[in-house]
């Protein structure tokens, strides 16, 4: 073997050691893996936050309301994309934990093919139904046109979102949570620049903010792919890797589709919440938008911890180490809830600056709607943390039925609060919808998780 060949072999061995989530202290391994995922999720949120801040500050509260009125639709699509690509990542992670290199290649090939197919279907359906959706959402007439322009462009760029989430979840399943973060930081900064350029000198309005988001995310995906191809030989697929994928398709759809569907179903309740707020007028939409943008920080941090524990559980499930799975879930709970306490305190202390971040000189009515939402929701972040950790841990152990059932519990609780409580206590009923949904799902999922772990450990 040549000196250069030996160096390559050593580098590959180091890379493989870096990717292994089945070794080392569970607490330290999870924290090291989770921090870049948290950063990645926050910078992904930064795309839409930048849109909202720049739109609100340059185009005004009405344009911000237009962007905000469509955010739940966009989030609905994003949830499905994140769900099914996370599921594909779990499939790959299990093969990685089992050290099955050929299985890893087949998994990547299946993920790529299915992602292309889903991109075509999702883009066509969403773009064709844009007008009917806005009508069903009771979008106010004074913001309807801007809402349509922003939503249509973002949905037209669904392929960029799928591309980024697929490649980033593949890298995370291999144990690399840093690479997606690095390139997402770069593209987030580009997004801010493009937002300003497209909106101010080019005068493209809210559509300019949408195009900035799509183009920036596409750049992040391309960079992740190029870097991944250079550093991970398993990503170098051949034509034969795409042959005979029937069983692989079924396996990936079995895990990925329920995860995507259940995350989308959760958004149905949020769609009902947004519709209720839209009916209250532009001021309510603006205040609710500012509050939910801040609230998304907590949701995405909790989602990041869920991503970390799902990859951790998937690899250790593949290795058959149940004791390590239990230790990892316990460590993840400590880390997640510590972050939730900090976020709850920070958001409650910064309620007024949060509104001012998005809107110059907000009215008292807008501030009242924003504060009302944050005062109710923020104290329940601890419950959200329990939900995300236990749900993704169960999914990582190939149980998709229990998380889906929990998702339906969430939906029922959210709709019941939005429709039932709102009729009695008004806007507060909308604010209570999410906490009640989280509580219902946690009560169902916790016994399922401990039943699975104890059952396996006793075998």
């Amino acid at each position: 073997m040549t000196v250069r060949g030996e160096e390559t072999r050593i580098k590959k061995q180091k890379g493989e050691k870096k990717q292994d989530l089945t070794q080392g202290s569970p607490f330290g391994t999870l924290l090291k893996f989770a921090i870049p995922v948290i950063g990645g999720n926050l910078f992904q949120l930064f795309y839409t936050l930048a849109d909202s801040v720049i739109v609100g500050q340059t185009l005004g509260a009405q344009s911000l309301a237009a962007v905000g009125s469509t955010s739940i639709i966009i989030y609905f699509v994003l949830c499905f994309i994140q769900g099914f690509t996370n599921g594909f990542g779990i499939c790959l992670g299990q093969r990685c934990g089992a050290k099955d290199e050929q299985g890893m290649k087949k998994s990547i090939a299946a993920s790529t093919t299915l992602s292309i197919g889903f991109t075509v279907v999702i883009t066509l359906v969403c773009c064709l139904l844009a007008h009917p959706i806005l009508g069903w959402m009771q979008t106010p007439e004074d913001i309807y046109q801007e809402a349509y322009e922003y939503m249509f462009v973002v949905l037209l760029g669904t392929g960029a979102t799928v591309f980024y989430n697929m490649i980033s979840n593949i890298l995370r399943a291999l144990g690399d949570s840093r690479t997606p973060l690095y390139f997402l930081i770069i593209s987030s900064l580009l997004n801010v620049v493009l937002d300003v350029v497209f909106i101010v000198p080019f005068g493209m309005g809210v559509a300019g903010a949408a195009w900035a988001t799509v183009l920036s995310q596409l750049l992040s995906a391309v960079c992740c792919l190029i870097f991944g191809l250079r550093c991970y030989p398993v990503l170098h697929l051949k034509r034969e890797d795409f042959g005979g994928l029937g069983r692989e398709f079924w396996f990936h759809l079995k895990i990925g589709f329920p995860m995507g569907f259940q995350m989308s179903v959760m958004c149905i309740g949020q769609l009902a919440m947004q519709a209720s707020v839209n009916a209250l007028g532009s001021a309510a939409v603006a205040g609710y938008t500012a509050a939910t943008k801040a609230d998304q920080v907590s949701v995405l941090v909790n989602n990041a911890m869920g991503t970390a524990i799902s990859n951790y559980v998937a690899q250790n499930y593949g290795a058959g180490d149940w004791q390590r799975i239990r230790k990892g879930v316990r460590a993840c709970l400590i880390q997640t809830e510590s972050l939730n306490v900090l976020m709850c305190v920070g958001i409650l202390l910064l309620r007024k600056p949060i509104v001012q971040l998005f809107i110059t000189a907000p009215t008292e009515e807008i501030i009242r709607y924003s504060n009302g939402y944050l005062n109710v929701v923020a104290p329940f972040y601890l419950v959200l943390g329990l939900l995300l950790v236990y749900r993704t841990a169960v999914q990582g152990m190939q149980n998709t039925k229990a998380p889906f059932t929990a998702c339906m519990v969430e939906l029922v609780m959210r709709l019941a609060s939005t429709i039932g409580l709102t009729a009695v206590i008004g806007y507060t009923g909308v604010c209570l919808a999410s906490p009640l949904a989280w509580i219902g799902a946690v009560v169902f999922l916790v016994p399922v998780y401990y039943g699975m772990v104890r059952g396996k450990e006793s075998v």
Side-chain angles (χ1 to χ4, degrees), residues 311-341:
N311 283 280
Y312 174 93
V313 170
Q315 285 201 16
N316 286 281
Y317 180 86
D321 194 340
W322 290 92
Q323 186 64 26
R324 184 173 172 82
I325 288 176
R326 190 165 187 170
K327 290 179 180 179
V329 170
R330 188 183 304 120
C332 190
L333 283 171
I334 294 172
Q335 295 167 5
T336 303
E337 300 302 33
S338 298
L339 290 170
N340 279 325
V341 170

Side-chain angles (χ1 to χ4, degrees), residues 286-305:
Y288 181 76
T289 298
T292 52
K293 290 297 182 185
D295 183 54
Q296 282 179 19
V297 173
S298 171
V299 173
L300 289 180
V301 168
N302 281 280
N303 279 337
M305 297 305 298

Side-chain angles (χ1 to χ4, degrees), residues 137-149:
M137 290 290 294
Q138 304 180 57
T139 306
E141 290 185 9
D142 56 343
I143 62 175
Y144 185 95
Q145 185 58 36
E146 285 188 308
Y148 173 78
E149 291 174 4

Side-chain angles (χ1 to χ4, degrees), residues 152-168:
F152 185 84
V153 172
V154 172
L155 295 178
L156 189 65
T158 297
T161 305
V162 174
F163 187 10
Y164 170 75
N165 280 275
M166 182 196 71
I167 188 62
S168 63

